[in-house]
Amino acid sequence: MDILINGKKVKTRKGEHVLEVARREGFEIPSLCHHAALPPDGACRLCLVEVEGPEGKNKVTTACTLEVAQGLSVRLDTPEVAANRKVVLEMLLARVSDSPTLLKLADKYGLLEMRLVPQGEKCVLCGLCARVCTELVGAKALTMEGRGTETYFQPPFGEPAKDCVGCGSCAFVCPVTCIEYKKTDRTIEIWGRTFERLACTECGEPLDLTPEHRDLIRRRTDLLTPAEMQLCGGCERRTTMKTMQRVVEGQQTLETARR
Amino acid sequence: MRKIYLVLPEKCTGCRTCELSCAYSHQIDQQPGTPRIRAYNTKPPLEKGIPVVCFQCDRPACQEVCPTKALQRNLDTGAISIDYDRCINCHACYAACPFGNIHIDPINTRVAKCDLCGGSPKCALFCPTGALSYK
Ligand code: SF4
Ligand code: SF4
Ligand code: FES
């Protein structure tokens, strides 16, 4: 099915959304809450596009949630889109005024004047952290709490996250890097918890792996023993190398080297 | 027919040219990336080497534990490659690979693995002894 983006005919597959199609074709659309591994959410309102309707009745909507359809024609850079996007950015920046990500976007999309009082918040409420933790990682450590201006993405009741495994994925995907994630030689600190870092059983090097995360990972496959997961990459490779050496020197056959 | 990436450890001298060519063909912001292949010297100095690189397993542990389906087999090359748009950098694949063939690039802490350079592995191209080949 073909659609038109800025008048250019592009190929799409059923079920795709305009944001992913446009990016694949090299068009630029800003976004905060979109992630390729998650279904669209439409939370940040930055990915606005204008859809051409009958008799010039166009409407502005979010590209991430807009499914491709026969005859769809969208424009990415109309005055309507620009004006609406500026308002969205102005509100986001009023909430979180010091985010380099937002400041760069404001600059790029021509937001010159701020009319709102800065709120001094850190989080833009895109919700990516909780979606990634629940839908992908499967730890379900974070939820949305409160409502309106008192909305927070956090562990239930704002207490230390009891279901968190310390994988750090939420901190990685956060578009404004507002999730505190601290790594020391022996610990990982996040969401009010301090996790122990497992150490390589061979050389003692600390791994980016907590016992809780290891156990969660093991539930996804029947291939791994805990011991295998507790070597660092270097020690694993040296073990691999020694096995290969024994095969080369004829002390072991390929069949027994294979598990 | 799909080409085969062949490792003949008995021919490896441990010169580590493969590591260098890999680092330069996986650059990040014009800096060499972490090599996805490593050549170890078995008896120093440089008497003999053994290259360790992804086996592109039939049943890859990295792929089974990836929560985002970021690791998929490229049907043209047979390589398990990372879709960085999907990846959430949880490092589960690093923990899972039993052979040490998932790497973490120190430049950006992102996971990295051999992708057979999308069908023209530079290590095989530059290996001077024929220990690595692609045909
Ligand atoms: S670090 Fe904790 S809260 Fe964040 S994604 Fe991982 S399990 Fe969830
Ligand atoms: S680090 Fe990325 S590729 Fe590896 S398991 Fe996590 S999401 Fe998948
Ligand atoms: S990316 Fe579309 S609303 Fe956030």
Side-chain angles (χ1 to χ4, degrees):
Chain A
M1 182 185 344
D2 292 341
I3 65 166
L4 291 174
I5 301 179
N6 283 356
K8 183 188 165 201
K9 205 182 206 183
V10 301
K11 284 213 177 334
T12 69
R13 285 182 292 270
K14 203 169 170 267
E16 283 189 312
H17 296 89
V18 170
L19 181 64
E20 51 191 315
V21 174
R23 287 195 175 158
R24 183 170 66 224
E25 294 292 325
F27 293 101
E28 243 181 273
I29 300 179
S31 74
L32 293 176
C33 73
H34 174 264
H35 195 282
L38 284 167
D41 199 46
C44 74
R45 321 307 294 175
L46 262 187
C47 64
L48 299 174
V49 293
E50 189 164 331
V51 184
E52 283 176 14
E55 297 153 34
K57 284 210 183 82
N58 294 359
K59 64 168 195 204
V60 172
T61 188
T62 47
C64 66
T65 54
L66 180 61
E67 239 183 89
V68 297
Q70 200 60 53
L72 182 72
S73 169
V74 297
R75 297 209 164 260
L76 310 186
D77 43 16
T78 65
E80 276 297 296
V81 167
N84 279 292
R85 180 170 290 144
K86 263 193 244 177
V87 174
V88 173
L89 270 170
E90 190 175 352
M91 291 195 286
L92 287 169
L93 259 176
R95 216 188 128 75
V96 181
S97 314
D98 56 359
S99 153
T101 318
L102 290 182
L103 289 168
K104 236 185 264 160
L105 285 169
D107 197 41
K108 181 157 183 194
Y109 292 99
L111 176 67
L112 301 171
E113 185 197 7
M114 284 292 297
R115 296 163 296 186
L116 302 166
V117 186
Q119 302 296 304
E121 295 285 347
K122 298 278 172 217
C123 161
V124 285
L125 299 179
C126 74
L128 256 189
C129 53
R131 287 158 65 214
V132 160
C133 185
T134 301
E135 294 172 44
L136 299 176
V137 176
K140 305 190 179 70
L142 307 173
T143 54
M144 184 173 88
E145 298 207 319
R147 54 165 80 167
T149 53
E150 298 294 311
T151 307
Y152 298 100
F153 284 95
Q154 60 185 23
F157 313 112
E159 287 169 3
K162 75 174 181 10
D163 294 324
C164 177
V165 298
C167 71
S169 302
C170 52
F172 177 78
V173 297
C174 174
V176 291
T177 48
C178 76
I179 298 173
E180 282 174 44
Y181 172 79
K182 198 173 142 217
K183 213 155 73 173
T184 68
D185 276 355
R186 311 186 56 163
T187 61
I188 287 172
E189 291 168 39
I190 190 163
W191 295 117
R193 293 271 309 269
T194 302
F195 293 91
E196 168 207 346
R197 279 175 80 175
L198 289 169
C200 174
T201 43
E202 198 65 35
C203 71
E205 188 187 289
L207 305 174
D208 280 351
L209 186 67
T210 66
E212 292 85 350
H213 192 204
R214 175 199 58 203
D215 295 344
L216 181 74
I217 294 170
R218 282 196 63 219
R219 278 192 252 140
R220 300 180 188 144
T221 177
D222 56 6
L223 284 174
L224 302 169
T225 63
E228 277 177 315
M229 298 179 69
Q230 223 171 305
L231 287 175
C232 72
C235 289
E236 278 172 340
R237 284 191 295 279
R238 265 180 286 279
T239 312
T240 310
M241 186 273 273
K242 282 181 196 144
T243 311
M244 287 171 73
Q245 189 177 9
R246 281 197 300 276
V247 172
V248 171
E249 289 171 357
Q251 298 163 9
Q252 192 177 352
T253 65
L254 206 52
E255 280 316 305
T256 58
R258 233 184 227 171
R259 292 174 312 149
Chain B
M1 219 186 77
R2 195 196 271 168
K3 289 187 177 178
I4 302 274
Y5 179 81
L6 189 66
V7 181
L8 296 170
E10 52 274 37
K11 290 194 178 175
C12 173
T13 59
C15 73
R16 301 173 72 195
T17 306
C18 52
E19 292 187 13
L20 213 60
S21 50
C22 183
Y24 279 94
S25 59
H26 294 96
Q27 294 186 28
I28 303 166
D29 300 332
Q30 279 140 52
Q31 295 175 73
T34 193
R36 280 77 166 148
I37 184 169
R38 302 292 166 94
Y40 291 94
N41 296 318
T42 52
K43 282 183 241 140
L46 293 188
E47 281 179 30
K48 168 101 204 63
I50 292 200
V52 177
V53 64
C54 177
F55 297 105
Q56 319 293 354
C57 306
D58 286 344
R59 220 190 125 185
C62 60
Q63 186 182 31
E64 290 199 8
V65 302
C66 176
T68 65
K69 299 195 170 72
L71 288 161
Q72 294 295 333
R73 197 176 299 276
N74 177 317
L75 294 178
D76 296 328
T77 62
I80 302 288
S81 7
I82 304 175
D83 179 346
Y84 285 105
D85 287 340
R86 298 188 73 93
C87 172
I88 54 174
N89 219 30
C90 66
H91 292 191
C93 50
Y94 176 87
C97 174
F99 310 109
N101 285 326
I102 304 276
H103 302 260
I104 296 174
D105 205 308
I107 301 176
N108 56 9
T109 77
R110 299 209 69 167
V111 291
K113 77 175 290 302
C114 169
D115 58 354
L116 292 175
C117 295
S120 62
K122 300 298 175 294
C123 50
L125 193 66
F126 285 97
C127 175
T129 66
L132 304 171
S133 59
Y134 190 62
K135 52 191 174 204

